Amino acid sequence: MTMIFRLRARFAAIIVALMLVSAAVLPVAAMAMDVTASTTRPNGFAGQDTYGGKPTRLTWELRLKAGDPAVGGLVLKLPEGTNLTKSTTKVITLEGLKRTSVRSTNKIDGRTLNITFSQPVEPPLNIRVTVEQIVLPPDNGTFQITGTVDTASGPFAIPPAPTPLTFKKMTVAESMIYWLDGQAWVKAWNSVNFLNMFFKPQIIVASIFVEFKGWLVAMALVAVGFPLAIPAGLLLAFAKMSKIAPIRWISSFYINVIRGTPLFLQIYIAFFGLPLVGIQGNKYVLGIIVLALNSSAYLAEIFRAGIQSISRGQFEAASSLGMTYWQAMQNVIVPQTVKRVLPTMTSEFILLYKDTAMLSAVGVFELMMYSKNLSAITGNVTPYVVAASFYLMVTTPLISYVRTLEERLAVAEGGATPKPKKPSRFKWKPSSAGPDTTLMASAAEHEAR
Amino acid sequence: MPQPIVRIENLHKSFGSLEVLKGVDLEVDKGQVVVILGPSGSGKSTLLRCINRLEDPTGGKIFFEDIEITDPKTNINKVREHIGMVFQSFNLFPHLTARGNVMLAQQKVLGRSKADAARLAAVQMDKVGLGDKVDYFPAQLSGGQQQRVAIARALAMDPHVMLFDEATSALDPELVRGVLDVMKALAKGGMTMIVVTHEMGFARDVADRVVFMDEGVVHEQGTPEEVFDHPKSERTKDFLGHIT
């Protein structure tokens, strides 16, 4: 028992002694200073993030208040893994907004910065330290600059900044861009103004990564919108062929209004008009609806022309066998129509896919919107060129698919003459595939949209 | 006393101001083969198409097995099940095989099972001599073969009467025979047939009665001998003179 008491008493004595010593060496809070700035410059391709593993600039400022002892120098410690080998340090002192002329010698020792003033500086003043070409650790992290202020009455610990510094691990895109930045051929390439404005490698990489999301959105818009437009178009087509006049009128009116006005205008009416009457909705959903409504009118005409291109004899043959109108439609007419309208329908799909770009005007974040933003940030045309590639990536195979379909249809319809190898550029030439002139006319008019 | 299966009374049909049928009366008895002759534009095809109401008559009445098919209340689809029709342009469904063509209406209209329809399709295809072509698409068949498939398609519905609308007119001469042979066999089998054709030989050999039409009216009718060998009407004489 007594042994334990004695031990405790000895510990207490040691702690008290340590406290006294430290109070003498590091009189914490004896100096009224605070860190007024501690920032790193964003060094990413775009955005406000600072990435590790890549040079940046550190700005740090300490405010000393009147009455504090004169400062002979600073010791600043940066986080583990920081690379300062290429760094240069600049120190300035400010009295209020006035710059005071003070010389200092700045030495870098590993990740420690030793700043010694040629003569001690008197508070009140701000000491601003700028470190160029500082490379933070290549990882996600936060840190506070620690260190001491040297005075005649000994060193004082520097208090932490109100917010710690953060740095991030480079993304794949950031790493690639950083790598490209360092390549000689990239520099040579970019020295040609045209290449730099339209095909800048760094921006190509950034655009691919950023616009990919927009491409997915554009694909989703059309992938949902188009299948919705098909049944709507079929309905409109049958309505337009209805025996009941008012149904025919309504369908015709709708088709004429939609086809007779720009999609752009329809988008504006839907996005700016509907909220005014209290209809609020998700803009992506609204975008899909507008696209589907628009496309349904064009599809209706494609379907109607396709159905009417099937010879009357087919319908008569079905009727003579006792089939009803809808049985004949379902089993005889529509299956034949599908084959005939597939090329035109695919063309309509291509048009609708491209038309998703118009939704960028009302803030739908699709491919065009992303490229517009990126182009604005970079002041470069390259994002648009990349966007074009994204559009072409889908449309090019589809266009050749349309050609294949047309050729196959021409063979199936029989009596097909081979297509001219080089289609005339100025005159739209009906391909032999075309079953009917009304379908052709509809397609031609469509191309001109 | 045989019962007329088709009875046409004072049939009129106009297309706009053009009057194509100007009061036609005609009776066809069960099992009879009636061949309608006449120059182009005489209204033969229109008459035939009125019988299953592919054309709506503007006046007069048509009875089919005592059902007045010109009555708007008649369910014409029900009547059409029993009236087979063969067209000049075949009108096979190009997206279906020969078998599919013969099966479709059996399943959709008569409600036969797929297996039954397929079996009966095979029987009818055999009957028209194309048992080995059931899996061919129309585009892979000659015109004559297509027309025989069309006949099989109509026969598969077990029609009470068959209408032939210039069934051989669109065929190359060497293909006409195959179709005519099928039609002859059909007639021999007791099928009631109303045939519009330009094939005089067929009319002479097969017809029980020949009807001569011109300008929308029936000018003369009778047995082939009566009409071909002893025509009474000047128009008939004139027409036959031009043909032979």
Side-chain angles (χ1 to χ4, degrees):
Chain A
M1 287 292 272
T2 44
M3 270 294 279
I4 291 166
F5 268 117
R6 230 180 265 165
L7 269 174
R8 277 196 179 169
R10 198 178 291 171
F11 268 122
I14 291 168
I15 287 162
V16 169
L18 275 174
M19 280 168 70
L20 283 170
V21 169
S22 60
V25 176
L26 295 169
V28 184
M31 264 184 88
M33 57 184 163
D34 58 356
V35 178
T36 53
S38 175
T39 57
T40 48
R41 191 174 55 178
N43 61 355
F45 173 78
Q48 294 304 308
D49 292 327
T50 300
Y51 293 96
K54 185 177 180 184
T56 181
R57 182 181 64 194
L58 172 76
T59 308
W60 182 86
E61 192 174 307
L62 185 72
R63 179 166 61 184
L64 298 166
K65 305 237 169 86
D68 280 339
V71 173
L74 300 169
V75 179
L76 299 179
K77 281 200 162 63
L78 291 158
E80 193 139 2
T82 304
N83 187 340
L84 292 168
T85 46
K86 284 187 183 159
S87 295
T88 52
T89 310
K90 217 170 101 187
V91 178
I92 57 169
T93 53
L94 301 144
E95 263 178 60
L97 290 174
K98 212 177 106 224
R99 204 165 155 158
T100 54
S101 153
V102 177
R103 289 241 189 113
S104 69
T105 50
N106 314 317
K107 272 195 282 182
I108 291 163
D109 177 19
R111 55 187 181 94
T112 307
L113 218 58
N114 291 302
I115 299 161
T116 316
F117 295 113
S118 52
Q119 58 193 67
V121 291
E122 289 285 344
L125 89 166
N126 286 12
I127 303 169
R128 183 185 294 167
V129 180
T130 313
V131 187
E132 299 279 358
Q133 295 292 311
I134 171 173
V135 180
L136 295 168
D139 215 336
N140 290 315
T142 61
F143 72 95
Q144 285 281 6
I145 295 172
T146 57
T148 53
V149 176
D150 293 324
T151 64
S153 43
F156 290 88
I158 291 168
T163 51
L165 287 163
T166 62
F167 52 92
K168 288 191 166 169
K169 193 181 163 114
M170 271 194 277
T171 59
V172 177
E174 285 292 348
S175 317
M176 285 172 75
I177 292 164
Y178 182 44
W179 180 81
L180 285 170
D181 282 339
Q183 301 304 305
W185 67 267
V186 174
K187 285 185 186 112
W189 175 278
N190 288 342
S191 67
V192 181
N193 191 35
F194 173 77
L195 297 177
N196 183 58
M197 281 315 282
F198 286 81
F199 302 100
K200 189 171 182 177
Q202 291 96 319
I203 300 182
I204 288 174
V205 170
S207 301
I208 288 171
F209 279 87
V210 172
E211 291 175 16
F212 179 72
K213 283 172 268 174
W215 177 71
L216 288 181
V217 171
M219 288 291 286
L221 288 170
V222 74
V224 179
F226 195 68
L228 288 176
I230 291 171
L234 212 50
L235 206 70
L236 284 166
F238 281 119
K240 202 175 173 180
M241 294 185 292
S242 169
K243 280 184 190 151
I244 305 157
I247 290 180
R248 224 163 44 226
W249 296 336
I250 291 167
S251 173
S252 291
F253 178 77
Y254 177 83
I255 292 169
N256 288 343
V257 167
I258 294 287
R259 299 206 320 159
T261 55
L263 172 60
F264 204 60
L265 179 133
Q266 294 159 17
I267 288 170
Y268 267 41
I269 287 177
F271 277 77
F272 300 134
L274 291 183
L276 294 179
V277 293
I279 301 168
Q280 296 280 356
N282 179 298
K283 59 188 175 185
Y284 293 89
V285 174
L286 193 55
I288 285 168
I289 291 170
V290 175
L291 289 178
L293 288 178
N294 177 271
S295 201
S296 70
Y298 287 92
L299 285 176
E301 284 300 75
I302 292 170
F303 292 151
R304 188 188 55 79
I307 288 167
Q308 290 180 343
S309 79
I310 305 292
S311 88
R312 210 180 139 65
Q314 288 291 311
F315 194 79
E316 289 181 351
S319 300
S320 77
L321 290 164
M323 287 192 218
T324 63
Y325 177 84
W326 291 110
Q327 278 177 332
M329 274 296 163
Q330 188 192 333
N331 299 296
V332 176
I333 309 298
V334 171
Q336 295 184 57
T337 307
V338 167
K339 219 158 92 185
R340 285 195 182 175
V341 301
L342 213 51
T344 335
M345 250 176 92
T346 312
S347 299
E348 172 59 27
F349 179 89
I350 293 169
L351 287 171
L352 192 67
Y353 170 60
K354 291 188 294 180
D355 282 349
T356 58
M358 292 197 199
L359 290 170
S360 68
V362 287
V364 172
F365 265 86
E366 43 60 73
L367 183 46
M368 186 65 198
M369 188 69 163
Y370 274 103
S371 37
K372 225 156 71 174
N373 281 359
L374 213 51
S375 180
I377 291 167
T378 56
N380 195 290
V381 186
T382 310
Y384 289 133
V385 174
V386 173
S389 318
F390 269 111
Y391 283 114
L392 285 169
M393 198 168 72
V394 175
T395 54
T396 307
L398 281 178
I399 287 166
S400 72
Y401 177 62
V402 170
R403 196 180 307 133
T404 314
L405 281 177
E406 280 175 347
E407 278 163 8
R408 210 181 292 164
L409 184 70
V411 172
E413 299 276 335
T417 49
K419 277 188 89 169
K421 278 212 179 85
K422 220 174 175 186
S424 162
R425 190 187 301 187
F426 302 106
K427 202 177 152 220
W428 190 81
K429 220 174 170 187
S431 77
S432 50
D436 180 84
T437 44
T438 46
L439 192 59
M440 292 302 158
S442 158
E445 175 200 351
H446 220 64
E447 295 283 333
R449 168 142 75 114
Chain B
M1 188 68 193
Q3 180 72 23
I5 191 166
V6 176
R7 188 153 48 92
I8 299 168
E9 291 175 2
N10 194 27
L11 189 70
H12 286 263
K13 171 68 184 174
S14 303
F15 294 103
S17 60
L18 179 70
E19 197 176 15
V20 180
L21 298 179
K22 301 168 182 167
V24 175
D25 294 287
L26 188 72
E27 282 188 11
V28 180
D29 293 339
K30 198 163 167 55
Q32 250 190 348
V33 176
V34 173
V35 172
I36 304 173
L37 299 177
S40 300
S42 59
K44 331 180 278 293
S45 284
T46 307
L47 174 66
L48 209 60
R49 290 161 63 83
C50 282
I51 295 173
N52 66 355
R53 251 179 66 191
L54 284 182
E55 303 291 354
D56 277 317
T58 34
K61 286 180 178 176
I62 300 171
F63 294 90
F64 173 75
E65 292 176 342
D66 291 332
I67 304 163
E68 191 197 334
I69 67 163
T70 37
D71 183 350
K73 278 177 282 194
T74 305
N75 180 356
I76 190 64
N77 293 319
K78 266 303 199 223
V79 178
R80 282 172 178 161
E81 288 174 22
H82 306 295
I83 305 176
M85 188 161 191
V86 177
F87 300 86
Q88 179 179 355
S89 50
F90 330 139
N91 294 345
L92 288 184
F93 307 136
H95 62 298
L96 298 174
T97 60
R99 192 210 311 271
N101 268 275
V102 183
M103 284 170 69
L104 182 65
Q106 290 190 62
Q107 291 178 266
K108 301 293 171 190
V109 178
L110 302 180
R112 285 181 187 153
S113 73
K114 197 177 171 187
D116 280 351
R119 190 172 46 78
L120 289 163
V123 169
Q124 295 301 344
M125 288 292 285
D126 271 336
K127 207 183 255 183
V128 299
L130 294 171
D132 55 337
K133 296 277 196 286
V134 285
D135 290 321
Y136 283 54
F137 279 92
Q140 299 167 303
L141 299 171
S142 74
Q145 289 169 334
Q146 287 191 50
Q147 192 60 294
R148 280 143 70 189
V149 175
I151 294 170
R153 178 174 70 179
L155 290 176
M157 302 295 286
D158 300 327
H160 300 179
V161 60
M162 285 282 285
L163 311 177
F164 290 85
D165 186 7
E166 303 201 25
T168 56
S169 300
L171 297 176
D172 292 338
E174 71 269 23
L175 301 174
V176 170
R177 256 199 65 192
V179 175
L180 288 181
D181 286 347
V182 169
M183 288 167 68
K184 276 178 195 166
L186 210 55
K188 235 174 240 168
M191 176 62 75
T192 311
M193 293 163 64
I194 305 175
V195 183
V196 169
T197 187
H198 293 295
E199 296 291 331
M200 294 304 155
F202 177 84
R204 199 182 266 279
D205 293 351
V206 182
D208 296 312
R209 188 146 49 98
V210 174
V211 176
F212 176 73
M213 270 183 82
D214 193 16
E215 297 194 337
V217 290
V218 174
H219 281 271
E220 186 161 359
Q221 54 177 312
T223 62
E225 290 74 30
E226 284 168 2
V227 175
F228 285 118
D229 301 335
H230 312 288
K232 290 176 205 124
S233 137
E234 281 305 311
R235 291 208 188 222
T236 317
K237 280 180 202 164
D238 192 38
F239 174 71
L240 293 172
H242 273 100
I243 297 249
T244 49

